[in-house]
């Protein structure tokens, strides 16, 4: 009997974008269960609460039985261990992402050598997309409806003006 493959997709997801959702859906071919780990990370000064960010993702992935969403505030390696995960999924949009994510992946492996980090590139239509860009566009009244799930649009309406 094959052991279940559990993957963690960590991030701040402030807010979750369609690019994040693309990585979530496509990563399901690598694992039996994907756990989206929403980082508390107050140093990033998030626009949305962790509860809102979790709810946005849960709403967007509700049709996928094998995706769970959980907040976390510990070391990623400890969180992964508590969930019996063996894979960390990270999305890479540009070379600049790679340098940082490579360092994080090496440090995570140093802390837990049973964890493998897998880098995924986004689908072409999402390669430009970032949460920071989305927040900036929304702040200036721009249309982000093609960039984020509907729950995030409703969330932006509640925090306007940004």
């Amino acid at each position: 009997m094959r052991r279940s493959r559990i993957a963690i997709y960590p991030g701040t997801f402030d807010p979750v974008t369609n690019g994040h959702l693309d990585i979530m859906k496509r990563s399901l071919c690598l694992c039996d269960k994907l756990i989206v780990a929403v980082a508390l990370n107050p140093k990033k000064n998030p626009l949305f609460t962790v509860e809102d960010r979790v709810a946005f993702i849960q709403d967007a992935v509700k049709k996928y039985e094998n995706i769970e969403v959980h907040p976390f505030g510990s070391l990623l390696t400890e969180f992964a261990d508590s969930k019996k995960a063996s894979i960390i999924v990270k999305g890479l949009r540009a070379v600049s992402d790679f340098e940082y994510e490579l360092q994080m992946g090496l440090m995570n492996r140093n802390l837990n050598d049973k964890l493998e980090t897998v880098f995924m590139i986004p689908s072409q239509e999402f390669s430009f997309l970032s949460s920071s860009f989305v927040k900036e566009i929304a702040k200036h009244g721009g249309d982000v409806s093609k960039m984020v799930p509907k729950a995030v649009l409703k969330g932006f309406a509640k925090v306007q003006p940004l």
Side-chain angles (χ1 to χ4, degrees), residues 14-77:
D14 184 46
V16 65
T17 68
N18 291 339
H20 293 128
L21 295 174
D22 172 58
I23 295 291
M24 289 174 205
K25 293 170 194 172
R26 290 178 33 244
S27 68
L28 291 174
C29 70
L30 303 172
C31 60
D32 301 304
K33 177 168 63 172
L34 177 68
I35 298 172
V36 180
V38 182
L40 297 173
N41 204 348
K43 288 182 182 177
K44 285 196 171 185
N45 196 19
L47 175 63
F48 295 105
T49 67
V50 72
E51 294 82 11
D52 285 340
R53 291 179 276 143
V54 166
F56 294 156
I57 299 168
Q58 286 174 329
D59 183 71
V61 300
K62 62 187 169 202
K63 66 181 178 182
Y64 298 95
E65 292 179 12
N66 51 345
I67 298 180
E68 295 178 8
V69 187
H70 298 281
F72 82 104
S74 63
L75 286 173
L76 178 59
T77 54

Side-chain angles (χ1 to χ4, degrees), residues 2-151:
R2 185 173 70 82
R3 192 174 133 206
S4 180
R5 290 174 300 166
I6 301 171
I8 301 276
Y9 180 29
T12 307
F13 304 107
D14 184 46
V16 65
T17 68
N18 291 339
H20 293 128
L21 295 174
D22 172 58
I23 295 291
M24 289 174 205
K25 293 170 194 172
R26 290 178 33 244
S27 68
L28 291 174
C29 70
L30 303 172
C31 60
D32 301 304
K33 177 168 63 172
L34 177 68
I35 298 172
V36 180
V38 182
L40 297 173
N41 204 348
K43 288 182 182 177
K44 285 196 171 185
N45 196 19
L47 175 63
F48 295 105
T49 67
V50 72
E51 294 82 11
D52 285 340
R53 291 179 276 143
V54 166
F56 294 156
I57 299 168
Q58 286 174 329
D59 183 71
V61 300
K62 62 187 169 202
K63 66 181 178 182
Y64 298 95
E65 292 179 12
N66 51 345
I67 298 180
E68 295 178 8
V69 187
H70 298 281
F72 82 104
S74 63
L75 286 173
L76 178 59
T77 54
E78 290 174 0
F79 180 78
D81 205 38
S82 75
K83 299 296 184 185
K84 300 187 178 2
S86 59
I87 303 167
I88 296 173
V89 174
K90 297 296 293 191
L92 297 177
R93 293 173 306 229
V95 172
S96 57
D97 289 344
F98 178 74
E99 186 174 351
Y100 174 78
E101 295 299 347
L102 174 65
Q103 291 174 12
M104 289 298 297
L106 291 170
M107 183 54 65
N108 287 334
R109 183 182 304 144
N110 184 51
L111 293 171
N112 182 343
D113 63 1
K114 292 174 182 63
L115 276 174
E116 289 296 335
T117 300
V118 176
F119 298 122
M120 295 186 72
I121 58 171
S123 295
Q124 188 170 352
E125 68 265 33
F126 303 120
S127 61
F128 68 93
L129 195 52
S130 76
S131 295
S132 298
F133 286 160
V134 167
K135 285 188 285 194
E136 192 66 22
I137 293 165
K139 177 180 177 181
H140 290 91
D143 180 11
V144 295
S145 62
K146 293 180 182 171
M147 301 175 199
V148 297
K150 288 183 174 121

